[in-house]
Amino acid sequence: AQQQRNLDNIILQQPRIGSKRKSKKDTYTVFDTEIESTSPKSEQDSGILDVEDEEDDEEVPGAQDLVDFSPVYRCLHIYSVLGARETFENYYRKQRRKQARLVLQPPSNMHETLDGYRKYFNQIVGFFVVEDHILHTTQGLVNRAYIDELWEMALSKTIAALRTHSSYCSDPNLVLDLKNLIVLFADTLQVYGFPVNQLFDMLLEIRDQYSETLLKKWAGIFRSILDSDNYSPIPVTSEDMYKKVVGQFPFQDLELEKQPFPKKFPFSEFVPKVYNQIKEFIYACLKFSEDLHLSSTEVDDMIRKSTNLLLTRTLSNSLQNVIKRKNIGLTELVQIIINTTHLEKSCKYLEEFITNITNVLPETVHTTKLYGTTTFKDARHAAEEEIYTNLNQKIDQFLQLADYDWMTGDLGNKASDYLVDLIAFLRSTFAVFTHLPGKVAQTACMSACKHLATSLMQLLLEAEVRQLTLGALQQFNLDVRECER
């Protein structure tokens, strides 16, 4: 079955003209119970994947090459001659049912390694390959109804075992390998005429689990990227460095291209890293959809839904955690707003990327859209709110230093030291805001000024309940005028 799946690759690597494989039904011979032979040799000619070219060294051995069936044929012949064929048939079927139950019992640690699953599948395949061979080389020792009954039991037990054991798996690579093994298992048994649709239905359940393990893995990747970022624009000193960044992230700016080196991109390193990791996640989702006999639309829908979860849940949570850190500064928050703005613009390129690998246009009816714009807008709004809160806290800290001596004399026309420091802080902060989008920068500055005005008015109201001297009131008015300026 694996050779059939990789037939194109085998042909490319070892082209052979005229080498044709016989079908399974063409190669089987029927055992005649009336032939007085204790060890019929005709079964040696019955193979599953016999090759006409006798010189082909890569012939796949069939059941008759791996199992000695002569005791079964001998017993069947003896019981038939004695007129007790039905007794042997009942005995054989009863014993094989017991053996089937043993074969279908998975080991307790099967989920730990792929070899555990492989051994489990091998013994099930072996059991039914043997029964299929008996079906085609005897006259009624087993029949199709008996085999179908066994397979129905085996299918339910196998699916139950896989559901249980696969749920323990947290490694996406192991889940992907398991999926490939299940597909190979199903394809193998399908060749023998066994219905395997339920196995492929179960793979769709495992697909959801695979998606969850991928999301957990990428949560760690995003966390590592965001933690290691310096939240500073990417500097480039040469054309090669510039092309490398542009090759990693879709960015075009004619004004920046015209600037001489050294120059800086507006975003920090986490932008191209996050963008490329989203693409890697899409590739990982695509791998699971291979060989599942799904349409292009179904594959496209699966990838888009998983990518939406990555954006709206995993990446969104990672960004929110960074924004809500206690030690995050205004510079970092400003850079996050800039970064999420560029990531939001890149969502259309992610749409195109998915379209290219699935061949399903986004305009197609029922095609799921990416919700990346919502994720990055929410993160940007959270960063903006954090900037307002951060600024207001800084202003409050400066104003808490205000300690007017209401009984002092005239102190001249110089503003208070605490207010000079506050204005210097605001000037440096507003300078950082020049990199923000116009509306965001304007809103941040207005918010800070309004909070400062409100705080000063509160100080004035508190002062009015006191007995003010002319000097203290003049000092307070100087501070107010300085803030207004």
Side-chain angles (χ1 to χ4, degrees):
Q2 190 168 23
Q3 286 179 355
Q4 288 179 347
R5 285 177 60 188
N6 302 327
L7 186 59
D8 292 338
N9 292 333
I10 294 175
I11 292 175
L12 289 175
Q13 294 172 5
Q14 297 178 347
R16 290 177 185 158
I17 300 175
S19 177
K20 299 180 181 178
R21 294 191 181 278
K22 296 180 181 179
S23 67
K24 174 170 64 70
K25 292 183 179 179
D26 292 339
T27 59
Y28 277 121
T29 59
V30 179
F31 176 68
D32 187 355
T33 56
E34 296 299 319
I35 297 178
E36 296 185 3
S37 172
T38 58
S39 181
K41 301 297 182 182
S42 59
E43 291 76 28
Q44 299 299 326
D45 297 328
S46 60
I48 299 168
L49 290 174
D50 287 342
V51 181
E52 289 183 346
D53 187 358
E54 295 180 358
E55 296 178 358
D56 190 351
D57 295 332
E58 296 183 4
E59 180 178 346
V60 178
Q64 76 289 340
D65 301 310
L66 303 173
V67 179
D68 180 12
F69 289 92
S70 59
V72 177
Y73 299 140
R74 189 180 297 113
C75 287
L76 178 60
H77 176 70
I78 293 173
Y79 273 84
S80 297
V81 171
L82 295 177
R85 178 188 174 99
E86 185 177 350
T87 301
F88 180 70
E89 289 178 359
N90 292 334
Y91 170 81
Y92 177 86
R93 296 181 187 186
K94 181 179 179 180
Q95 294 302 316
R96 290 297 281 169
R97 283 192 180 93
K98 291 181 179 180
Q99 292 168 16
R101 290 187 175 90
L102 291 176
V103 166
L104 294 168
Q105 185 65 38
S108 58
N109 61 341
M110 183 174 73
H111 60 275
E112 296 178 358
T113 63
L114 189 65
D115 287 337
Y117 289 105
R118 184 179 289 111
K119 182 179 179 181
Y120 180 62
F121 289 142
N122 285 347
Q123 61 192 30
I124 296 175
V125 169
F127 180 91
F128 283 97
V129 166
V130 166
E131 291 307 287
D132 184 81
H133 188 78
I134 292 292
L135 173 68
H136 287 86
T137 56
T138 63
Q139 291 182 338
L141 179 57
V142 298
N143 54 32
R144 177 53 64 182
Y146 156 81
I147 291 182
D148 288 345
E149 178 189 346
L150 275 182
W151 173 242
E152 187 175 341
M153 176 191 71
L155 194 60
S156 62
K157 289 184 176 295
T158 302
I159 290 176
L162 290 175
R163 281 193 180 123
T164 300
H165 285 268
S166 64
S167 63
Y168 295 123
C169 185
S170 59
D171 181 4
N173 292 327
L174 181 56
V175 178
L176 183 61
D177 290 338
L178 173 60
K179 165 255 168 182
N180 291 329
L181 198 58
I182 294 174
V183 170
L184 186 59
F185 171 70
D187 287 347
T188 302
L189 288 166
Q190 193 171 35
V191 171
Y192 290 89
F194 296 104
V196 293
N197 290 337
Q198 291 184 48
L199 284 172
F200 284 101
D201 292 341
M202 186 205 60
L203 281 173
L204 298 182
E205 299 176 18
I206 295 181
R207 178 193 64 186
D208 296 334
Q209 180 192 346
Y210 176 71
S211 180
E212 288 296 323
T213 59
L214 285 182
L215 291 174
K216 291 180 181 178
K217 177 181 178 180
W218 257 261
I221 291 174
F222 287 146
R223 182 167 58 250
S224 177
I225 291 174
L226 297 177
D227 288 346
S228 62
D229 195 61
N230 59 9
Y231 294 93
S232 300
I234 301 175
V236 288
T237 57
S238 65
E239 186 68 24
D240 290 340
M241 293 178 64
Y242 186 89
K243 290 181 179 179
K244 181 179 179 181
V245 176
V246 174
Q248 294 174 340
F249 181 75
F251 176 78
Q252 291 181 344
D253 189 331
L254 295 178
E255 293 184 2
L256 183 62
E257 290 179 6
K258 295 177 182 178
Q259 292 179 12
F261 292 100
K263 52 189 175 184
K264 294 181 179 180
F265 284 93
F267 47 81
S268 67
E269 290 185 353
F270 95 58
V271 170
K273 288 181 178 180
V274 166
Y275 179 81
N276 281 282
Q277 283 301 323
I278 295 174
K279 291 174 66 176
E280 289 296 325
F281 177 87
I282 293 172
Y283 274 128
C285 292
L286 181 65
K287 287 181 180 179
F288 194 92
S289 66
E290 295 174 350
D291 302 314
L292 292 187
H293 312 303
L294 300 174
S295 66
S296 298
T297 304
E298 289 173 316
V299 173
D300 183 88
D301 186 63
M302 179 198 76
I303 291 176
R304 290 176 185 272
K305 286 181 178 179
S306 297
T307 305
N308 275 332
L309 285 176
L310 178 76
L311 295 173
T312 59
R313 193 172 76 184
T314 306
L315 180 56
S316 178
N317 289 341
S318 298
L319 289 171
Q320 294 292 339
N321 289 336
V322 172
I323 293 169
K324 297 299 181 180
R325 284 177 183 168
K326 293 182 179 180
N327 60 342
I328 192 166
L330 289 172
T331 303
E332 288 85 351
L333 290 171
V334 169
Q335 191 61 60
I336 289 174
I337 292 176
I338 297 171
N339 288 353
T340 51
T341 301
H342 287 282
L343 285 171
E344 180 182 346
K345 293 178 181 178
S346 72
C347 285
K348 64 178 181 179
Y349 297 103
L350 291 174
E351 290 270 8
E352 294 176 1
F353 177 71
I354 296 176
T355 298
N356 290 335
I357 64 177
T358 61
N359 297 318
V360 177
L361 296 176
E363 294 79 12
T364 305
V365 180
H366 304 310
T367 297
T368 305
K369 302 297 181 183
L370 290 185
Y371 304 141
T373 54
T374 303
T375 295
F376 299 124
K377 282 181 180 178
D378 291 344
R380 188 162 59 253
H381 292 159
E384 291 170 10
E385 291 296 328
E386 199 66 24
I387 285 177
Y388 306 150
T389 302
N390 200 316
L391 267 178
N392 294 342
Q393 289 176 350
K394 289 290 184 182
I395 291 173
D396 290 339
Q397 289 174 6
F398 277 105
L399 292 180
Q400 286 172 4
L401 299 175
D403 187 16
Y404 290 102
D405 184 0
W406 301 107
M407 303 305 295
T408 188
D410 188 356
L411 298 179
N413 295 321
K414 182 181 178 182
S416 302
D417 292 338
Y418 81 91
L419 194 61
V420 172
D421 293 338
L422 171 60
I423 293 175
F425 164 76
L426 291 176
R427 280 175 178 166
S428 63
T429 301
F430 291 167
V432 176
F433 289 172
T434 57
H435 301 293
L436 289 173
K439 291 184 179 179
V440 178
Q442 183 179 5
T443 304
C445 294
M446 290 294 295
S447 174
C449 292
K450 286 181 180 179
H451 186 75
L452 177 57
T454 302
S455 299
L456 285 172
M457 288 300 297
Q458 183 65 30
L459 278 176
L460 180 60
L461 290 173
E462 292 176 359
E464 286 180 348
V465 301
R466 308 180 187 185
Q467 182 180 2
L468 304 181
T469 64
L470 181 60
L473 185 58
Q474 286 178 344
Q475 180 66 72
F476 186 84
N477 288 334
L478 277 173
D479 290 349
V480 173
R481 286 197 297 272
E482 181 66 18
C483 288
E484 289 175 349
R485 186 176 68 83

